[in-house]
Amino acid sequence: EDEVRPMYEWLDRPRPPSLGPKQKQLDFWASPRFTRKTYGIAVWQTQQIIREPNTRIIIDGQERQSAGDTVKLMREWLELPELVRLFGRFQCDDWGKFEFTVAQRDRALRDPTVRALGLDNSEQGKRCDIRWWDDLIGKSNNNPEGILKVEQHISAGMPIIKPGGRGLYSCTRWNALDPSTEGFTISGNMGILRHVKETGRWFAPPPRGWFGCYAQVGDEIFYPHAKTGELLYPSVLSEDVLEGERAIMTHGEFASQYKNDPLSNLERPFHDDDIQYFDPVVDGERNPMLIGAIPYVAVDPASCRLKTATKDDSTFCKAYIKWQENMFHVFVTDWIGGRWETSRVYDTIFLLNDNPP
């Protein structure tokens, strides 16, 4: 309950006052696999149906079948004797596998109460009050083509939500450049988490907008039981479970599916604070910080396309990379700019490589 209730309460919060009456409320939720996010959101959506039987909900999955499984779960909840005794019989003639309509509806509406769609299903003529995109990125479409398709699907689906309605994107983050990114997606569009931080078009829970299997600083704002460095979802993701999964996964897979951070320390690009510029020789001796580091020489391939220098492009970089304190550190020792003919490019690479500090 401590792990699911905060999500439910966040979803059930009052409408943000910054939104106008016709603006759509767009919410983002990201947490690791098996943390019951689909279950928790389905509970909240079922509650919305009980409160307002005229609500129209579309649930999007990567495949229609996965969304249909959630529809089936919600349909079964509404058939529970306890709910029928309190609110009456929900079931009516339109009680299908991929959509259903509750008997309590008192308005003539063309769309069902709940409808399941997949990425390949037509949206033409459909309307909803709440649209839920659930785990649209996964192992099979975690690639540029798949991500672009999901982006287009979300964009095309926005007009289907009625003015003043609500959209919800829930996921485990599989790719650093997918629609949930804190930067820009593979296609160059602004990611959801960047919108959260910069435009306010999307909303996400504090403090970062997403959660991993281990609590991080600030998670106690949202989860009262959170303690930095300890398990955030111990009832479903114990240390034994995580160790078992870590043993059969690559670093990137585990970072994505359980830490909910698709750029693991072993595979992420370098951050500004990873890079240090310093003298490779101190008091005539090699800088001790380079002990255990691996030397690399990098060159911009475009530097050999012009025979005359046009500007300083900082073409060559010699650096030592060292794994330290659970992250990469880059120590830059040489940085030479310019544009040269191909032969001089090769000569410069060999010169830097043959003269370590």
Side-chain angles (χ1 to χ4, degrees):
E1 184 176 345
D2 290 342
E3 299 166 17
V4 176
R5 181 175 292 279
M7 176 177 67
Y8 177 89
E9 292 177 346
W10 181 75
L11 291 170
D12 209 42
R13 72 195 189 282
R15 182 178 170 86
S18 59
L19 295 177
K22 292 188 177 181
Q23 285 183 281
K24 296 164 185 175
Q25 178 178 337
L26 302 176
D27 289 332
F28 174 80
W29 180 272
S31 60
R33 293 183 68 191
F34 308 123
T35 50
R36 298 174 293 195
K37 56 182 177 293
T38 297
Y39 177 91
I41 296 171
V43 168
W44 174 78
Q45 302 237 27
T46 304
Q47 182 66 43
Q48 306 316 299
I49 296 170
I50 295 172
R51 291 174 178 172
E52 175 47 77
N54 294 309
T55 296
R56 300 164 297 174
I57 298 171
I58 290 179
I59 302 174
D60 281 280
Q62 186 178 339
E63 304 288 342
R64 194 183 188 198
Q65 182 59 57
S66 61
D69 291 341
T70 305
V71 170
K72 178 177 181 290
L73 182 64
M74 295 171 65
R75 193 175 63 235
E76 291 174 348
W77 286 341
L78 292 172
E79 294 171 353
L80 291 172
E82 294 83 354
L83 289 183
V84 173
R85 185 171 62 252
L86 290 171
F87 303 105
R89 188 171 182 267
F90 291 94
Q91 186 173 351
C92 66
D93 293 337
D94 182 11
W95 204 251
K97 180 179 180 181
F98 293 109
E99 59 183 56
F100 66 84
T101 301
V102 296
Q104 284 82 347
R105 177 177 281 187
D106 57 13
R107 289 172 53 195
L109 298 169
R110 181 175 60 180
D111 297 281
T113 301
V114 181
R115 169 183 277 142
L117 294 178
L119 291 174
D120 295 319
N121 295 120
S122 172
E123 301 178 336
Q124 186 173 0
K126 297 175 175 62
R127 295 291 182 270
C128 66
D129 303 285
I130 301 173
R131 182 146 197 181
W132 174 18
W133 299 282
D134 186 34
D135 281 328
L136 297 187
I137 300 291
K139 185 173 183 178
S140 64
N141 66 340
N142 177 27
N143 52 60
E145 295 77 15
I147 291 170
L148 178 59
K149 183 176 181 178
V150 168
E151 284 189 88
Q152 293 171 339
H153 183 77
I154 296 171
S155 179
M158 287 292 182
I160 291 173
I161 306 172
K162 75 167 189 178
R166 193 164 181 179
L168 173 61
Y169 187 97
S170 61
C171 66
T172 292
R173 300 164 68 201
W174 278 76
N175 193 298
L177 303 179
D178 74 12
S180 69
T181 183
E182 298 174 50
F184 291 88
T185 68
I186 283 177
S187 62
N189 293 320
M190 186 178 287
I192 291 174
L193 282 169
R194 192 176 183 95
H195 275 294
V196 170
K197 295 178 179 179
E198 294 191 5
T199 72
R201 188 184 177 204
W202 285 79
F203 298 89
R208 292 172 308 283
W210 56 274
F211 302 99
C213 56
Y214 294 102
Q216 299 187 42
V217 175
D219 282 350
E220 67 278 1
I221 297 171
F222 194 83
Y223 288 104
H225 71 278
K227 295 182 180 179
T228 302
E230 296 186 9
L231 295 171
L232 191 57
Y233 304 96
S235 69
V236 289
L237 295 179
S238 65
E239 287 290 1
D240 289 342
V241 169
L242 293 174
E243 285 302 316
E245 294 298 299
R246 189 183 282 111
I248 60 174
M249 290 181 161
T250 66
H251 292 289
E253 288 173 337
F254 186 82
S256 293
Q257 297 177 40
Y258 292 99
K259 292 186 176 180
N260 203 32
D261 181 0
L263 292 175
S264 72
N265 280 333
L266 291 179
E267 300 182 16
R268 66 185 174 88
F270 299 119
H271 296 168
D272 290 343
D273 55 5
D274 294 332
I275 301 176
Q276 301 179 29
Y277 299 87
F278 70 107
D279 293 328
V281 177
V282 178
D283 297 329
E285 300 291 336
R286 186 182 187 188
N287 192 319
M289 288 298 291
L290 293 183
I291 297 174
I294 302 173
Y296 285 86
V297 176
V299 60
D300 175 6
S303 63
C304 61
R305 294 183 180 178
L306 296 178
K307 294 185 177 181
T308 58
T310 55
K311 61 179 180 177
D312 186 341
D313 283 334
S314 298
T315 305
F316 296 95
C317 172
K318 182 172 182 179
Y320 284 75
I321 300 176
K322 185 175 181 178
W323 177 255
Q324 184 181 30
E325 297 174 352
N326 202 34
M327 65 178 62
F328 279 124
H329 290 274
V330 181
F331 306 106
V332 177
T333 60
D334 292 281
W335 192 275
I336 305 175
R339 290 181 180 269
W340 298 283
E341 295 182 13
T342 303
S343 60
R344 190 174 175 192
V345 171
Y346 294 153
D347 290 343
T348 307
I349 293 175
F350 290 136
L351 177 65
L352 290 172
N353 189 60
D354 293 339
N355 290 278

